[in-house]
Amino acid sequence: MRADEHAETGSGRLLVISGPSGCGKSTICQRLREDPRVEFSISATTRPMRAGEVDGRDYHFIDKARFQRHIEDGDFIEWAEVHGNLYGTLRRPIYAALESGRTYLVEIDVQGGASLKALELPVASVFLFIAPPSMEVLEARLVGRGTDTPEVIARRLEKAHEELLAQDKYDRVIVNRDLDEAVAAVRRFAGLDAPLTE
Ligand code: 5GP
């Protein structure tokens, strides 16, 4: 039996969060990660590990041959090439989490979010798009991070214009004006607003 069919009986939920670089989605996801009802998807990638990253926490860092085998074995629910490296979302942990009634959080770019949506998986799912209040605010955030050169910032802003066009493919758009409010909105739409019970 394929895991896709098997999961129909699971009581968990797939939570997909996308948005342009600098919109605050990683910070929002970080906050959700603290919730024990949430399991965070760890993608596989062929990109070399960056300083400070941990294998199995940030990504599963694998070589191209292994990635190719995963593709052939149908292990990825979606995969894509981004800036010359391969990235894929593994299928098995999604279904394991959903069957145990947990929320499986996938933080993914707009391209990957659209692929997941198009699959029409037979599982309860919520697709949320995090948007910046304006392009001016987005630019100010990217500059304020101090991690990118002006050229990289210009490229990210150009990409953000494109990515914002995809927001109507998502179930909900959350404008990140205030972090606490945006996290609360995500929790509400994801059904995670009930208090935690011991
Ligand atoms: P980075 O290498 O900077 O961590 O990520 C580069 C890009 O790859 C980001 O836009 C990120 O959203 C995207 N990415 C990370 N994991 C996946 C994945 O599993 N699938 C897809 N389609 N994109 C991913």
Side-chain angles (χ1 to χ4, degrees):
M1 182 193 270
R2 274 177 68 93
D4 301 22
E5 292 151 30
H6 193 55
E8 260 181 288
T9 52
S11 57
R13 186 189 304 243
L14 178 66
L15 171 60
V16 179
I17 296 189
S18 301
S21 175
C23 70
K25 67 176 183 304
S26 300
T27 313
I28 291 171
C29 289
Q30 214 51 51
R31 294 271 290 266
L32 294 173
R33 236 174 148 158
E34 292 158 14
D35 189 321
R37 295 166 294 189
V38 177
E39 188 168 331
F40 197 80
S41 171
I42 300 163
S43 298
T45 184
T46 60
R47 163 169 81 59
M49 206 187 296
R50 294 182 189 135
E53 286 185 327
V54 176
D55 185 29
R57 183 194 71 187
D58 299 291
Y59 284 103
H60 299 293
F61 293 95
I62 60 176
D63 62 22
K64 279 200 176 134
R66 185 140 169 237
F67 198 98
Q68 195 58 42
R69 271 204 305 280
H70 277 309
I71 295 175
E72 282 157 18
D73 293 344
D75 294 341
F76 292 125
I77 206 152
E78 66 77 44
W79 65 273
E81 184 170 340
V82 186
H83 309 308
N85 296 306
L86 301 170
Y87 295 83
T89 308
L90 289 158
R91 185 187 300 274
R92 200 178 305 152
I94 299 186
Y95 290 104
L98 299 190
E99 277 171 22
S100 67
R102 302 180 78 202
T103 295
Y104 197 76
L105 172 60
V106 180
E107 182 190 344
I108 200 166
D109 67 346
V110 169
Q111 178 194 359
S115 313
L116 282 181
K117 184 94 174 153
L119 287 174
E120 298 184 354
L121 297 171
V123 299
S125 56
V126 187
F127 286 73
L128 301 179
F129 188 96
I130 311 297
S134 67
M135 286 306 283
E136 289 72 27
V137 171
L138 187 66
E139 184 169 0
R141 283 185 190 159
L142 288 172
V143 171
R145 280 205 307 210
T147 50
D148 300 315
T149 61
E151 292 73 34
V152 171
I153 290 174
R155 244 185 293 136
R156 286 193 192 274
L157 286 173
E158 204 177 303
K159 189 153 178 247
H161 269 293
E162 274 169 41
E163 288 170 332
L164 286 169
L165 297 175
Q167 58 183 278
D168 55 353
K169 296 204 182 83
Y170 284 74
D171 300 326
R172 301 274 178 179
V173 176
I174 295 167
V175 179
N176 184 12
R177 280 192 191 84
D178 173 89
L179 180 64
D180 287 335
E181 281 173 23
V183 171
V186 169
R187 285 185 178 284
R188 206 163 51 246
F189 294 131
L192 291 167
D193 47 352
L196 284 170
T197 49
E198 286 300 314

